[in-house]
Amino acid sequence: MHDAFKSQVLNAASSAADAPWMPTGRDQASKDFTALALPDRKTEGWKYNDLSKLYGSELSLAGDSDLEAASGLLADLSAIDVPVLALVDGRFCSALSRMPAGVSAVAFSQASAEQQASITQAIGTQARSDGHAFALLNEALSEDGIWIDVDSGVNVERTVHVVSLRTVAGSAAPRLLLRVGDNASLSFAEHHRSVAGLAAFDLPVTELQIGANSSVHHYRFALGEEGNRHVGRVAARQSADSRYYAYLAVLGGDFNRLDFGLDLQGQNCESELYGLYMCRAQEHTDIHLAVDHALPHCNSKEVFRGIAAEHGKAVFNGRIHIHQDAQKTNAELSNRNLLLSRTAEINTKPELEIYADDVKCAHGATVGQLDAEALFYLRSRGTPVEAAQSLLSYGFINEVLLAMPDEATAGLVKPRVDAFFDGLQGA
Amino acid sequence: MLSIENLQASVEDKAILKGLNLSVGAGEVHAIMGPNGAGKSTLSNVMGGRPGYEATGGSVTLGGVDLLELEPEERAYAGLFLAFQYPVELPGVSNMEFLKTAVEANCEHRGIEAPNTAAFLKAAREACAQVNLSPDFLKRGVNEGFSGGERKRNEILQMIMLQPKLCVLDETDSGLDIDALQVVADGVNSLRGADRSFVVITHYQRLLDYIVPDFVHVLSDGKIIKSGGSELALELEKNGYGWIEQEVA
Ligand SMILES: Nc1ncnc2c1ncn2[C@@H]1O[C@H](COP(=O)(O)OP(=O)(O)O)[C@@H](O)[C@H]1O
Ligand SMILES: [Mg+2]
């Protein structure tokens, strides 16, 4: 199965060869990818994933896009009139984009020679280094990407939205590359969306470099549909005195895997990662988080909430690695999970690796059901049982939604959260 | 209004209520007093349909409706409200959302028009003022981080919003200082009326100085063993329960 998959990748990569300028060295990436041993169930970190869902079905690049469908997927963003950079089936679409002001943002395919040089310098510095198979696959298959470059001293206050839309079957491998200079700030959101019932395979990679004393808010909403598979990678790196806040949501889609890596490469950093994942029907979601504390005096906090209903299945793995030099680290990981049916399944595994002796590190992981006392309390006030379950479940994840400072952006995920509860098949 | 006949109930297969009779007319306030472990909370839990509290015999009817046959939410629609001894926290569920959902469901089932958002907000703020809670409490998670006294006041707030026919207050006064007690009593008194009745479960005569009952009952070992007027509460305060238990034995 692995060999068949690899030869499909090589074919797809060669068909992507005519695509506009790409900085990643497609040929090298496909060679490196095919030389890799692909993860399987015996590979650490992949044992809960049914990889036949990834390797078993056809892989070819998405063909011509349906722009009308793409425009339909942007209705809520159009309504709030925010800057949008749109990638449709992995390729930049200027007709659907509204370029942000006050920040350099450009598609790889439209980059000037000078911008190309910056992109080439920045790309792959984080995501490639760890031999992550699917990040390599992104490089082999990527047809376009977005480059956002915030100069030192610049504050981008309005959230910039990068939207990856899927309108036709096949694979797409969009790339998002961001560099924030020193003493700067940025709020950006990446959205992954698809039309319903599409056999779309998404392989997005985001790389983010945050300069000294800068602040970044990063929203990442993967709102999949039936038929979708999504294997994403985020690699973020912080310099000294920087602040990074990430808000992740994964809902829908047949198969979701997200590898999120954060590298604290400066002293005195602050990081807060909030995430929610919700699976129903036969959906599968796996979130792998890795936070590396390399230097002293950094604080990181991770708050993840998961819900599985019906036959949904979720995996959370949160690894906090505190290196020997990272004295006076303060790290706090909380992962709580809610099972709404007996057939749902959630596995959680916090992993703390601590090699420094003067650190504060707390973690808690739970998997449970709705509190019977709380349910009765609501019902005794006249709230019907289904509504009571929804209210409590919503309350369970609300902490993550409330953490998002940009309410308009948070509002883009809430309808999907509501829809999750509508018509759930009960216990 | 409320008629309880020969009610028997058990918790974890242990008989707790052993043939309890109580009849409450419209507009009346009844106090139930009794020693710890007598079954007072069990009575309110059985009336409310709390899981684990099973009625094994007898009947409870409210306005002619047999409560024991109903789901907990249907008992609310029939007009029952329980102010709990230990109200639980609902983390992440805002008080506002909680109240609005409940008010709307009750209106729908009682066949009255639900207030629009503006009217609801106004009523909720007024109710806050009445129980001396800042309107900020509407935005907070239900009972989340509330003190004991704030939880009890939040119960009265809900009672005001839901306009029940029968209010059962389970030791709402326990642990309250005199100011909070006054707030709770004022809330109850403001709701008193010809078509609303109260069952006030308490341990202390003190509350009954503020909410003057029409009748006082003594509950002991799962039965009402003595009933009287409000003067009975004073007697209990002075002499304890022992003399009645002996008198009955
Ligand atoms: N959830 C429960 N589980 C086990 N026993 C209970 C439970 N609730 C009440 N009981 C028992 O029922 C009896 C009556 O309790 P309760 O109704 O709480 O009394 P009161 O409110 O009058 O103090 C006590 O013996 C108590 O231990
Ligand atoms: Mg009690």
Side-chain angles (χ1 to χ4, degrees):
Chain A
M1 190 154 60
H2 290 190
D3 288 343
F5 184 72
K6 283 176 176 174
S7 75
Q8 292 194 59
V9 168
L10 283 175
N11 279 338
S14 64
S15 74
D18 323 331
W21 173 81
M22 274 304 298
T24 48
R26 189 185 315 286
D27 293 345
Q28 190 58 45
S30 24
K31 266 191 214 121
D32 291 350
F33 177 78
T34 45
L36 269 183
L38 295 184
D40 58 28
R41 270 191 186 256
K42 292 187 210 92
T43 313
E44 183 59 33
W46 289 87
K47 71 173 171 178
Y48 293 112
N49 294 261
D50 178 3
L51 290 160
S52 68
K53 284 190 177 154
L54 289 186
Y55 306 136
S57 51
E58 197 193 337
L59 181 124
S60 60
L61 284 185
D64 289 343
S65 297
D66 176 349
L67 289 190
E68 208 170 309
S71 158
L73 290 172
L74 288 172
D76 55 345
L77 280 153
S78 305
I80 58 171
D81 192 27
V82 288
V84 168
L85 293 129
L87 291 158
V88 182
D89 299 306
R91 300 170 287 251
F92 181 65
C93 175
S94 64
L96 292 176
S97 299
R98 275 190 303 275
M99 303 307 281
V103 58
S104 158
V106 68
F108 293 178
S109 55
Q110 321 251 307
S112 66
E114 196 187 331
Q115 285 168 326
Q116 289 188 3
S118 307
I119 294 170
T120 307
Q121 192 188 22
I123 202 161
T125 50
Q126 300 165 64
R128 196 185 300 149
S129 55
D130 54 7
H132 189 267
F134 290 92
L136 273 176
L137 190 53
N138 168 281
E139 295 188 6
L141 301 179
S142 186
E143 293 181 278
D144 208 344
I146 302 288
W147 163 236
I148 296 179
D149 189 14
V150 182
D151 284 335
S152 291
V154 170
N155 294 301
V156 183
E157 269 153 34
R158 278 193 88 193
T159 304
V160 176
H161 295 261
V162 178
V163 194
S164 165
L165 304 167
R166 298 306 314 272
T167 68
V168 290
S171 68
R175 190 88 179 195
L176 180 52
L177 183 62
L178 303 103
R179 182 172 68 189
V180 178
D182 299 340
N183 307 304
S185 67
L186 172 69
S187 173
F188 78 102
E190 50 169 311
H191 304 268
H192 301 271
R193 300 176 173 190
S194 168
V195 299
L198 197 66
F201 188 8
D202 261 347
L203 293 156
V205 171
T206 300
E207 286 182 284
L208 167 65
Q209 168 72 46
I210 304 172
N213 197 33
S214 289
S215 163
V216 172
H217 291 272
H218 175 191
Y219 301 80
R220 187 187 192 280
F221 301 158
L223 308 181
E225 297 289 343
E226 194 183 340
N228 290 179
R229 291 169 294 156
H230 179 107
V231 180
R233 167 99 173 108
V234 174
R237 184 181 294 162
Q238 287 183 247
S239 312
D241 305 306
S242 63
R243 293 165 301 284
Y244 175 53
Y245 309 93
Y247 316 97
L248 315 177
V250 181
L251 283 109
D254 290 358
F255 182 98
N256 294 293
R257 165 86 184 204
L258 174 62
D259 283 81
F260 191 107
L262 172 63
D263 244 330
L264 302 172
Q265 289 286 356
Q267 294 200 24
N268 202 29
C269 294
E270 182 175 300
S271 327
E272 294 181 14
L273 313 180
Y274 297 89
L276 68 89
Y277 45 96
M278 299 167 75
C279 319
R280 57 184 291 188
Q282 310 280 338
E283 295 159 7
H284 172 104
T285 291
D286 181 335
I287 298 195
H288 265 65
L289 187 70
V291 178
D292 275 86
H293 281 262
L295 290 169
H297 297 289
C298 294
N299 295 330
S300 79
K301 174 171 146 183
E302 294 78 28
V303 178
F304 283 76
R305 300 284 177 263
I307 298 183
E310 297 169 345
H311 288 85
K313 196 174 161 191
V315 180
F316 177 84
N317 184 289
R319 188 171 66 86
I320 315 273
H321 188 146
I322 300 176
H323 297 254
Q324 202 172 352
D325 289 341
Q327 300 295 357
K328 307 281 180 196
T329 289
N330 195 343
E332 208 182 305
L333 166 69
S334 154
N335 174 232
R336 292 174 54 206
N337 297 283
L338 182 59
L339 289 172
L340 292 181
S341 81
R342 267 174 277 125
T343 47
E345 186 184 328
I346 301 185
N347 292 288
T348 171
K349 187 176 173 202
E351 287 180 56
L352 303 181
E353 290 179 40
I354 305 176
Y355 299 98
D357 46 28
D358 185 10
V359 301
K360 261 200 244 162
C361 209
H363 70 94
T366 60
V367 180
Q369 285 150 13
L370 285 178
D371 178 19
E373 293 292 311
L375 258 182
F376 172 67
Y377 189 57
L378 278 153
R379 295 180 72 189
S380 76
R381 297 315 185 228
T383 301
V385 63
E386 298 81 12
Q389 285 168 343
S390 298
L391 273 175
L392 289 175
S393 308
Y394 207 104
F396 184 80
I397 52 158
N398 211 8
E399 189 177 352
V400 172
L401 294 173
L402 289 173
M404 302 178 187
D406 180 348
E407 282 182 31
T409 301
L412 299 171
V413 75
K414 283 180 186 160
R416 278 299 293 264
V417 172
D418 291 338
F420 177 90
F421 294 117
D422 286 345
L424 266 189
Q425 299 303 306
Chain B
M1 170 81 53
L2 173 71
S3 165
I4 302 180
E5 280 171 23
N6 192 26
L7 180 62
Q8 294 147 57
S10 51
V11 181
E12 291 173 357
D13 291 329
K14 184 175 149 208
I16 308 291
L17 299 183
K18 302 169 179 171
L20 187 144
N21 294 292
L22 179 68
S23 175
V24 177
E28 293 174 357
V29 175
H30 290 237
I32 295 182
M33 305 182 75
N36 270 326
K40 302 185 297 296
S41 292
T42 301
L43 172 62
S44 74
N45 287 327
V46 170
M47 288 175 71
R50 189 187 207 107
Y53 291 79
E54 197 197 347
T56 50
S59 67
V60 178
T61 56
L62 176 59
V65 179
D66 181 359
L67 289 185
L68 299 179
E69 289 297 305
L70 302 179
E71 295 295 325
E73 54 269 41
E74 295 168 328
R75 301 182 194 209
Y77 310 147
L80 176 68
F81 181 91
L82 302 180
F84 291 105
Q85 185 171 2
Y86 305 109
V88 296
E89 286 188 19
L90 308 180
V93 180
S94 83
N95 230 349
M96 184 78 92
E97 187 89 15
F98 170 70
L99 282 172
K100 196 155 188 293
T101 319
V103 165
E104 283 170 0
N106 279 286
C107 287
E108 188 190 326
H109 285 88
R110 295 178 193 165
I112 46 182
E113 200 181 330
N116 64 26
T117 305
F120 170 80
L121 273 176
K122 185 161 174 281
R125 290 213 191 89
E126 281 169 8
C128 276
Q130 208 181 327
V131 299
N132 211 1
L133 281 177
S134 141
D136 291 345
F137 278 84
L138 292 172
K139 291 186 212 139
R140 288 174 54 179
V142 179
N143 296 327
E144 204 178 347
F146 289 22
S147 70
E150 286 163 350
R151 286 182 192 212
K152 299 295 177 75
R153 281 185 270 165
N154 200 32
E155 294 290 287
I156 303 300
L157 169 77
Q158 294 163 35
M159 191 167 90
I160 294 168
M161 293 298 291
L162 293 173
Q163 297 283 317
K165 274 195 223 156
L166 174 72
C167 308
V168 180
L169 284 77
D170 188 4
E171 294 206 31
T172 303
D173 55 327
S174 297
L176 292 191
D177 62 27
I178 209 78
D179 291 340
L181 192 68
Q182 182 78 55
V183 164
V184 166
D186 288 351
V188 169
N189 289 326
S190 76
L191 286 174
R192 283 179 84 156
D195 44 13
R196 185 169 293 128
S197 312
F198 293 84
V199 173
V200 179
I201 296 171
T202 181
H203 221 68
Y204 304 101
Q205 194 276 334
R206 190 178 65 152
L207 178 68
L208 305 179
D209 286 340
Y210 298 89
I211 306 173
V212 181
D214 300 304
F215 299 94
V216 174
H217 309 276
V218 178
L219 176 57
S220 171
D221 193 24
K223 278 189 256 187
I224 302 258
I225 55 166
K226 192 174 178 70
S227 299
S230 61
E231 72 290 344
L232 179 56
L234 289 168
E235 224 173 316
L236 292 168
E237 179 87 345
K238 216 162 68 204
N239 303 323
Y241 298 101
W243 62 278
I244 308 179
E245 284 167 346
Q246 270 168 19
E247 190 181 288
V248 174

